[in-house]
Amino acid sequence: MQQAYKLSFLQKIIQSQKVKLDVDFCLRLGANFPIIYDLFSQLYPNEDFEKQLENLCKILFIHYNERSEELKKIDIERVKNPDWLLSNNWIGMMLYVNHFSGNLKNFENKIPYLKDLGVNLVHLMPIMDVSENENDGGYSVRNYREVQANLGTIDDLENLSKKLHTEGMAIVLDFVLNHCADEHDWAIKAKNGNEKYKKYFYFHKDRTIPDQFDRELTDVFPQNAPGNFTYIPEINEWVMTIFHHYQWDLNYRNPEVFIEMMDILLFLANKGVDIFRLDAVAFMWKELGTNGLNLPQVHSLLQLIKLCGKIVAPSVAYIAEAIVRPNEIIKYFGENQFQADECDIAYNATFMALCWEALATQNVSLLKISMQNIPKKPLRTTWINYIRCHDDIGLGFEDDFVYSLGKEAHLHRKFLLEFYCYNSPNSWAKGLPFMSNPTNGDARISGSMASLCGLEKAIASKDNYEIVLAVSRINLLHSIILSYGGLPIIYSGDEIGTINDYSFENKLDKKHDNRWVHRPIMNWEKAEFRNDKKTIEYKIFQNLKHLIEIRKKETLFSDYNSIAFEESFDERVLCFLRWNRNNERILVIQNFTSDTIELKYAIFSKLNWEKQFAKDIVSEIEYSTEKVNLKPYGFLWLKE
Ligand code: GLC
């Protein structure tokens, strides 16, 4: 379609509106509308697509008009500084509000704690209204416009966001867009046979199509939610439920669904959300004969979201929660004309899983070779670097690299599962197998950072040396996420070494999902020990706090893709280099073993290190490059 046609179509829509639109908005609308038109017509090529597109535009007008002046000011600031996300200043923490502060109102009282550590980006795990029964930790939303009653109200969310903004902090919120709860109004209407709302989901009258889908789609929760369809007795039909039976997949083949969800996203953006974590995006488009993951239409949907957001709320950024193969993850940053124009942030899931792999094997080869082969992400996008989150750890690395190191991939995964979950004799870790599949031996790993690092076992056996080692492992992992390129996100509780919480085993709605073992309630008494030098909490919290302070001062740690893995001449040691435009460099060196290691001088000569010494900016110790020793699980941030 001609550009001129698209713009005259847009003009007609604008003229039919009564709302007032200012210059900023019109410029952004004019610049982005032609692409929206193209994407929308490709996704929804039926006759009434222009009518639907008009509905979409009306939503953009309404939300722009409702957006507060304060938020519009932030919009302008971030448009002027599009690299705001790449800054070394951001330090994130993810947390369940009920586990952290009880509710949204009380969150304000905990801001000083976050500031003490240096956290300025808070990811509030799903807070929107969910059913009281099972709700997959909040990822099954009943009402997207209301907050869970026990956490507060939508006004509390808005007030909290204002407060955080005045403190120079920002807020991340989940947007659970692949599916809604079976108790959502749309699902209830569909269950009652309402044809309009049935089209919001994927319904089938018998098992013919569901059986075909089931042959291709992978089971996300094979143990407690096998299959991808649920029988709905009220209308004697089957509905698609890729995750749990109560999470109904939304049908994005219907443009009305897209418009509804865009409407909700902008409503929440206007409550002051800075970053949306777009949940389970890889699953958003379904097609028979495929595995239903990462289809091209998913990318078109995300590009549309980004473009609509750019018009109404350009300061808002988007995280792709796509825990898929590295070559697929990278596509969520946008390709070709959409490079750096789809999601701004993605989870560095491979890196996370491989850090655990390297700790268990005491060998960094697989980590290094895998990371070196991940395609470069576009500039202006960034990774979330994390060690633990609320989900399990999937061993999602590429088999070919395992084979290239002379190992058998299946046996290697088996070794790791035994190491982390099945109490293998040489292991310090205490985790649980998640979704184990007895037929092929596959499983993922649950467990808190501290327990997987050995703290739980060491405390139980009152072994002081093991405690020291466990704390060193935790500190090492924190050092990695704070120095690698991207946004570090700490899981709440890890900063004080919180071990596994087995109380979920006695809770009816949680006992079948052992991810709850690593979603503990914040222990504020334990947090007080962070100021007592003799304690474990002190040793973890203060180390992390110190690293955060250094990271914030050092702009070399901002993420301009300025990172490269370097030769360490020792398989136990990981080295990567960070640099900036002024040719300043920091060499990060990490020992993944309990050995004391003397570094090879070759590391420095290969890098043409100019000086004969190197200063560790963490300890302020200056080393001669001829003689650098690494303590067990030690790390150095060496500045040239
Ligand atoms: C995401 C969430 C996970 C949830 C799933 C279904 O992967 O991180 O916790 O179970 O989506 O919503």
Side-chain angles (χ1 to χ4, degrees), residues 136 139 176 179 221 243-244 247 277 279-280 321 390-391 515 519:
D136 190 20
Y139 287 99
V176 187
H179 43 262
F221 300 125
F243 289 85
H244 295 96
Q247 291 165 303
R277 174 190 180 276
D279 182 58
E321 195 258 333
H390 69 297
D391 278 332
R515 289 176 298 174
R519 299 172 182 173

Side-chain angles (χ1 to χ4, degrees), residues 43-296:
L43 281 168
Y44 306 114
N46 48 21
E47 309 92 66
D48 81 335
F49 106 85
E50 284 199 348
K51 179 85 210 102
Q52 298 291 355
L53 187 54
E54 188 176 339
N55 292 343
L56 178 64
C57 288
K58 283 183 190 159
I59 280 178
L60 306 187
F61 302 155
I62 292 171
H63 288 292
Y64 184 70
N65 262 291
E66 285 175 358
R67 194 157 172 84
S68 71
E69 288 311 313
E70 287 130 316
L71 291 176
K72 285 182 180 167
K73 233 173 91 194
I74 300 180
D75 288 336
I76 304 288
E77 277 163 23
R78 290 188 186 154
V79 167
K80 281 193 195 142
N81 173 22
D83 292 352
W84 67 277
L85 264 178
L86 313 182
S87 162
N88 52 306
N89 190 46
W90 292 114
I91 308 289
M93 179 177 275
M94 58 187 299
L95 48 92
Y96 275 99
V97 174
N98 55 340
H99 287 186
F100 184 73
S101 58
N103 56 38
L104 287 170
K105 271 210 174 95
N106 195 36
F107 195 95
E108 274 195 26
N109 300 326
K110 304 297 182 196
I111 292 177
Y113 175 78
L114 296 173
K115 290 187 102 173
D116 181 21
L117 184 58
V119 166
N120 49 16
L121 185 77
V122 286
H123 172 189
L124 310 179
M125 301 293 292
I127 57 168
M128 306 321 292
D129 178 49
V130 288
S131 94
E132 279 93 47
N133 307 320
E134 288 178 299
N135 55 48
D136 190 20
Y139 287 99
S140 181
V141 178
R142 183 167 65 178
N143 186 337
Y144 290 95
R145 291 170 198 267
E146 272 178 25
V147 165
Q148 292 162 31
N150 58 323
L151 300 182
T153 64
I154 198 80
D155 291 342
D156 294 338
L157 173 65
E158 192 167 9
N159 291 337
L160 177 60
S161 135
K162 280 186 192 150
K163 173 77 186 155
L164 289 172
H165 285 154
T166 58
E167 299 279 355
M169 299 169 85
I171 202 165
V172 183
L173 207 70
D174 277 275
F175 189 53
V176 187
L177 74 175
N178 175 66
H179 43 262
C180 68
D182 60 350
E183 291 186 14
H184 190 288
D185 196 39
W186 302 332
I188 293 173
K189 286 184 173 139
K191 260 188 237 172
N192 290 334
N194 182 318
E195 286 304 325
K196 171 179 159 79
Y197 288 100
K198 275 179 74 186
K199 291 199 194 103
Y200 276 39
F201 304 97
Y202 292 92
F203 272 102
H204 297 284
K205 294 207 181 312
D206 57 39
R207 287 285 321 176
T208 318
I209 305 270
D211 284 344
Q212 289 174 28
F213 266 116
D214 274 350
R215 276 197 287 277
E216 310 279 350
L217 302 176
T218 37
D219 255 349
V220 184
F221 300 125
Q223 234 176 5
N224 57 14
N228 296 292
F229 288 84
T230 300
Y231 179 65
I232 306 300
E234 288 90 334
I235 45 170
N236 188 26
E237 288 191 35
W238 295 81
V239 72
M240 185 181 264
T241 52
I242 301 244
F243 289 85
H244 295 96
H245 66 89
Y246 50 85
Q247 291 165 303
W248 288 21
D249 284 69
L250 287 163
N251 176 9
Y252 281 93
R253 287 165 176 273
N254 176 356
E256 288 179 41
V257 169
F258 178 80
I259 296 168
E260 292 264 21
M261 294 307 277
M262 203 61 230
D263 187 18
I264 295 165
L265 183 140
L266 293 173
F267 163 82
L268 292 170
N270 281 352
K271 301 294 166 202
V273 175
D274 297 279
I275 302 178
F276 283 104
R277 174 190 180 276
L278 303 178
D279 182 58
V281 284
F283 297 85
M284 278 174 74
W285 194 273
K286 285 83 179 170
E287 186 97 55
L288 259 184
T290 73
N291 68 356
L293 282 173
N294 311 310
L295 296 179

